[in-house]
């Protein structure tokens, strides 16, 4: 298993993770985060079904980015909806992403409220 596969595996389990751009640059076998290196990193992330926020990775190696697995059915799925919505053209007539995101957030809120009522405390958190 190479470094990208290891990263993808960890994200599929955890859902998301904040990382320094420098970590990704090293993973790509580079020393500096130039435009071509960032483009190569974004391609590798996409190949492994890993999304990232911000939607364009910065070239500043000291910046942190949020990585998430598009295959995770919890937080990763939620973040992929947020990412999709952030990139959506405001003139786009489709409301599908908004409806999906609204549904997931309502379910999370309902689960949290239900857990609090039944004494489960913090049973589910985002």
């Amino acid at each position: 298993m190479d470094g990208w596969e290891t990263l993808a595996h960890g994200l599929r389990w955890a859902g998301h993770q904040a990382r320094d751009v420098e970590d990704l640059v090293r993973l790509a076998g580079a020393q500096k985060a130039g435009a071509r290196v960032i483009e190569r990193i974004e391609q590798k992330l996409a190949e492994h079904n890993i999304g990232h926020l911000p939607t364009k990775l910065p070239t500043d190696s000291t910046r942190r980015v949020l990585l998430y697995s598009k295959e995770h059915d919890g937080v990763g799925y939620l973040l992929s909806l947020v990412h999709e919505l952030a990139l959506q053209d405001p003139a786009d007539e489709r409301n599908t992403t908004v409806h999906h995101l609204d549904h997931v957030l309502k379910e999370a809120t309902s689960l949290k409220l239900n857990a609090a009522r039944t004494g489960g405390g913090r049973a589910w958190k985002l």
Side-chain angles (χ1 to χ4, degrees):
M1 192 181 303
D2 74 4
W4 295 106
E5 291 169 352
T6 302
L7 177 63
H9 178 74
L11 288 169
R12 277 192 298 275
W13 184 81
H16 66 92
Q17 182 182 65
R19 297 286 290 260
D20 290 332
V21 170
E22 182 179 0
D23 295 340
L24 300 175
V25 170
R26 276 193 251 118
L27 193 57
Q31 294 180 0
K32 190 170 181 190
R36 288 190 183 139
V37 171
I38 292 298
E39 186 177 314
R40 198 166 70 234
I41 291 169
E42 289 176 339
Q43 288 172 348
K44 281 293 196 183
L45 292 173
E47 286 172 17
H48 289 86
N49 248 353
I50 299 171
H52 53 85
L53 293 170
T55 57
K56 178 71 180 141
L57 293 178
T59 55
D60 179 352
S61 291
T62 63
R63 293 271 312 271
R64 289 188 66 79
V65 295
L66 188 65
L67 303 178
Y68 60 91
S69 172
K70 295 178 180 179
E71 299 171 9
H72 189 271
D73 35 340
V75 175
Y77 176 68
L78 180 66
L79 290 171
S80 70
L81 289 176
V82 170
H83 186 164
E84 185 179 326
L85 192 57
L87 294 177
Q88 200 170 39
D89 184 348
D92 191 340
E93 297 287 329
R94 297 172 294 144
N95 290 316
T96 309
T97 307
V98 172
H99 290 301
H100 284 295
L101 184 56
D102 183 48
H103 178 73
V104 170
L105 291 172
K106 283 179 179 174
E107 279 189 13
T109 302
S110 175
L111 286 171
K112 189 173 183 177
L113 290 173
N114 191 34
R117 268 182 272 180
T118 60
R122 298 169 48 182
W124 203 73
K125 62 181 179 176
L126 294 176

